[in-house]
Amino acid sequence: MKATEDDAHWLSVAQASALIQARELSPVEYVEHLVRRIQTFDPQLHSFITPCFDSARQRARLAEAEIMAGRSRGPLHGIPFGVKDVYETADAVTTSGSRVPYAGARRRDAAIVQRLHAAGALLLGKLATHEFAHGGPSPELPWPVARNPWSTTRFTGGSSSGSAAAVAAGLLPAALGTDTGGSIRGPASYCGIAGFLPSAGLVSRAGVVPNSYTLDHCGPMARTVEDCALLLQAIAGHDPSDGNSFVQPIPDYRAGLHAGIEGLRIGVLRHIWEEELACSAEHRRALDETVATLRGLGARIADARIRSMRDYLDVKIVIGESEIFSVHHRQLIERAGEFGRDFLTRILPAVLFQSADYVAASREQRRMIAQMQALHARFDVLLLPGFGAAGPISAQRSLNFWTHANPHAVANLIGAPSLAVCCGFSEAGLPLGVQFMGPPLSDQTVLRVGHAYERATDWRSRRPMLTAGATAPALTEPLAATDPSATDAETRELALRLAEQAGLRLDDTLQAILFEAAPHALAMRRRLHRHDGSVFDEPAHVFRLPEQ
């Protein structure tokens, strides 16, 4: 087999696969090339938590021998990949980016890691994640904050931070992320790669540390949409060990990419970037140009509207925080002070959510699903913004979780497939993102639109510039200190009483974190109950079996 070229790290999965299958690229040499690149550049990115180089080398030797003997396992045979460090793996301990060990952690491969290994792919390492796939950048945790390869002072997005950074920097051709409210698509937008949220129930979550049982998804992150399709082909399918998984047809996702989009109906959710979110002028222009590109490819374009992003965020947070609080309740009772501050800012106010709030949020989720049916009938795909240019890491504020609506929660709540890709660059050279979202089970159509858009533009040809030997610059400004001063005495008393009822023993620092976010959690409760309807309105967790 021929040795790798100097730029082998920029090969897409599809390109590397073609070379491997033609015996022009050695999996062994490919792995060694990427290991050298990781060792050279990751000190400035911090995208890896635990390298798995030795086991990857062993698998690469086996893959090469099998391919040379004519026993190819398919397009992922010999392809290196990484996983967000909430995926259980036999090759390395799962840290979840926290100093607090996850009580249920096991040393075995998650279901879709098993599937990738069966396809011949090579696990090269466990990648950085915000704490338990939920908190934001927390410099006080044991692992350094992952950096954006386009500018190492900038935010990667969360929580699949290392997955996005490693792929964008050419350290890996592909990675697995998780997404509960944008944790695949947000980092993909900020880092200029493709990130895909599959339909609910399509990809198993078994063996992945849970965040929200209702809203969690596992999915691929890669350099191109075609690469996402190749990975999805390997990981999609029913898994009885995941209670959310169900039997459904699995098409040939890669073959479906090439049909073009002429005549496809695309609804443009323009109101999100023009009226609701603080999109920059350059991001708005990029989104408008994306619409024009799709129209030029023959798509039938029309504007559409959905409910406000604030409504979706309220429902997402009440459901999601209630569930993740239950996941970590015991650790919060025993060792709350060991969690990072950003994680605590999100999870502690969940003590304010009561059973009536959780049911109200689930009822509202069901209404949201029902309300989308009219749009699904009119459009094959909806276009909405991803994130704009990444801001400085030091500008991130923990309270933004409670106060800033984002355009990603919609897909998680309705169980829809959603793809984030790059749609341009800011004047500072930072990626800008767009999303394509379809009805549940329309994964193939969403990927088809993204692939057509990528082929019609050249954004993915750009590469971040990294300097060998550089290290991550210091965070020049500390993250904002907790300021509970605006919280009234009545709210403090309520929050403290409910925390005590939950068994939490909070010192002054933890109380201040709870008090600061408590008014925002209570405001969400009030907004949710404005939508209360009949007692016969069923929550989303009530299922109906189809008639036989």
Side-chain angles (χ1 to χ4, degrees):
M1 287 186 167
K2 295 180 181 179
T4 60
E5 300 295 335
D6 289 342
D7 62 352
H9 46 276
W10 293 126
L11 291 172
S12 68
V13 171
Q15 291 167 335
S17 175
L19 292 172
I20 289 171
Q21 295 301 316
R23 304 183 184 183
E24 296 179 5
L25 176 64
S26 157
V28 173
E29 293 172 358
Y30 190 24
V31 164
E32 292 297 346
H33 177 86
L34 292 177
V35 167
R36 290 192 295 272
R37 184 165 175 85
I38 292 163
Q39 292 171 335
T40 299
F41 292 107
D42 201 51
Q44 62 194 276
L45 298 174
H46 302 312
S47 64
F48 275 72
I49 286 182
T50 307
C52 300
F53 297 159
D54 289 342
S55 57
R57 290 177 174 117
Q58 293 173 5
R59 288 193 173 94
R61 288 192 290 270
L62 174 62
E64 186 161 315
E66 290 177 337
I67 292 166
M68 292 296 287
R71 299 195 302 272
S72 173
R73 303 189 198 181
L76 297 185
H77 205 174
I79 298 295
F81 72 100
V83 297
K84 181 178 182 176
D85 199 11
V86 291
Y87 283 82
E88 292 182 333
T89 56
D91 292 343
V93 68
T94 301
T95 73
S96 302
S98 178
R99 64 167 62 91
V100 179
Y102 173 57
R106 299 155 296 187
R107 194 71 175 262
R108 67 183 189 186
D109 288 334
I112 64 174
V113 174
Q114 293 178 29
R115 292 193 180 201
L116 287 178
H117 281 158
L122 319 171
L123 177 63
L124 204 48
K126 309 286 290 288
L127 304 173
T129 173
H130 291 164
E131 189 168 20
F132 286 109
H134 192 52
S138 293
E140 73 274 21
L141 292 175
W143 293 275
V145 176
R147 305 304 180 95
N148 192 319
W150 295 94
S151 172
T152 53
T153 63
R154 301 282 178 150
F155 191 35
T156 57
S159 58
S160 304
S161 53
S163 298
V167 171
L171 308 187
L172 288 166
L176 295 178
T178 63
D179 192 314
T180 307
S183 289
I184 286 174
R185 293 158 292 153
S189 288
Y190 280 147
C191 293
I193 64 170
F196 185 62
L197 172 90
S199 291
L202 178 61
V203 173
S204 175
R205 307 170 301 175
V208 180
V209 177
N211 182 327
S212 165
Y213 302 104
T214 300
L215 304 174
D216 285 351
H217 295 66
C218 298
M221 304 173 73
R223 197 156 294 124
T224 70
V225 175
E226 182 181 25
D227 290 353
C228 287
L230 285 169
L231 289 160
L232 183 63
Q233 198 71 53
I235 64 177
H238 177 242
D239 177 8
S241 61
D242 179 355
N244 191 53
S245 176
F246 59 94
V247 177
Q248 55 188 283
I250 306 298
D252 186 333
Y253 294 109
R254 188 185 197 183
L257 297 177
H258 306 292
I261 62 170
E262 186 170 358
L264 214 62
R265 303 167 301 167
I266 298 180
V268 179
L269 303 181
R270 188 181 302 277
H271 67 99
I272 297 176
W273 72 81
E274 290 187 345
E275 302 171 20
E276 292 198 53
L277 303 183
C279 287
S280 67
E282 54 194 0
H283 193 197
R284 292 196 300 270
R285 285 194 299 272
L287 292 165
D288 289 340
E289 289 167 4
T290 300
V291 174
T293 297
L294 296 172
R295 182 179 284 112
L297 293 172
R300 295 159 54 192
I301 306 291
D303 287 353
R305 296 185 73 92
I306 60 175
R307 291 174 59 165
S308 75
M309 297 299 97
R310 176 82 263 179
D311 284 355
Y312 289 102
L313 190 67
D314 287 350
V315 174
K316 183 266 175 186
I317 286 182
V318 172
I319 292 174
E321 294 314 298
S322 298
E323 292 180 347
I324 196 170
F325 185 87
S326 74
V327 171
H328 298 287
H329 187 196
R330 176 55 55 188
Q331 290 95 329
L332 287 166
I333 290 173
E334 296 174 353
R335 52 202 303 179
E338 296 179 42
F339 289 95
R341 196 192 74 201
D342 200 284
F343 182 84
L344 291 168
T345 299
R346 300 177 186 220
I347 198 171
L348 286 181
V351 299
L352 295 160
F353 298 144
Q354 305 298 293
S355 58
D357 306 320
Y358 182 78
V359 171
S362 185
R363 282 175 171 160
E364 201 58 28
Q365 181 189 7
R366 191 172 203 118
R367 292 185 193 111
M368 289 170 167
I369 293 169
Q371 290 162 0
M372 291 294 291
Q373 300 312 304
L375 277 185
H376 294 334
R378 289 179 56 202
F379 299 107
D380 302 297
V381 168
L382 298 173
L383 183 152
L384 60 164
F387 281 149
I393 296 170
S394 58
Q396 302 307 307
R397 299 292 180 261
S398 299
L399 271 187
N400 288 354
F401 174 76
W402 294 94
T403 60
H404 287 44
N406 76 64
H408 297 107
V410 182
N412 298 85
L413 286 166
I414 66 173
S418 183
L419 171 71
V421 296
C422 181
C423 66
F425 285 81
S426 71
E427 291 183 4
L430 299 169
L432 308 169
V434 64
Q435 287 185 83
F436 304 114
M437 181 179 74
L441 309 185
S442 67
D443 302 70
Q444 188 173 39
T445 303
V446 172
L447 291 167
R448 175 179 151 201
V449 173
H451 180 68
Y453 176 72
E454 273 191 345
R455 288 173 61 86
T457 58
D458 65 351
W459 305 123
R460 63 192 176 94
S461 66
R462 298 197 188 186
R463 304 281 184 259
M465 300 297 293
L466 299 171
T467 303
T471 57
L475 298 177
T476 55
E477 301 175 24
L479 299 181
T482 303
D483 179 16
S485 60
T487 306
D488 61 76
E490 183 180 358
T491 297
R492 294 186 189 203
E493 181 182 354
L494 172 63
L496 196 57
R497 183 172 71 252
L498 291 174
E500 290 172 349
Q501 288 177 5
L504 304 189
R505 297 180 293 274
L506 306 181
D507 60 21
D508 289 346
T509 299
L510 297 177
Q511 287 182 26
I513 291 172
L514 170 60
F515 294 158
E516 183 180 45
H520 304 289
L522 293 174
M524 285 185 169
R525 288 177 54 179
R526 289 191 293 271
R527 288 193 295 266
L528 263 180
H529 287 290
R530 288 204 306 264
H531 302 294
D532 283 348
S534 166
V535 295
F536 295 105
D537 290 345
E538 294 175 335
H541 301 92
V542 174
F543 299 101
R544 300 182 180 89
L545 294 175
E547 294 182 5
Q548 300 298 318

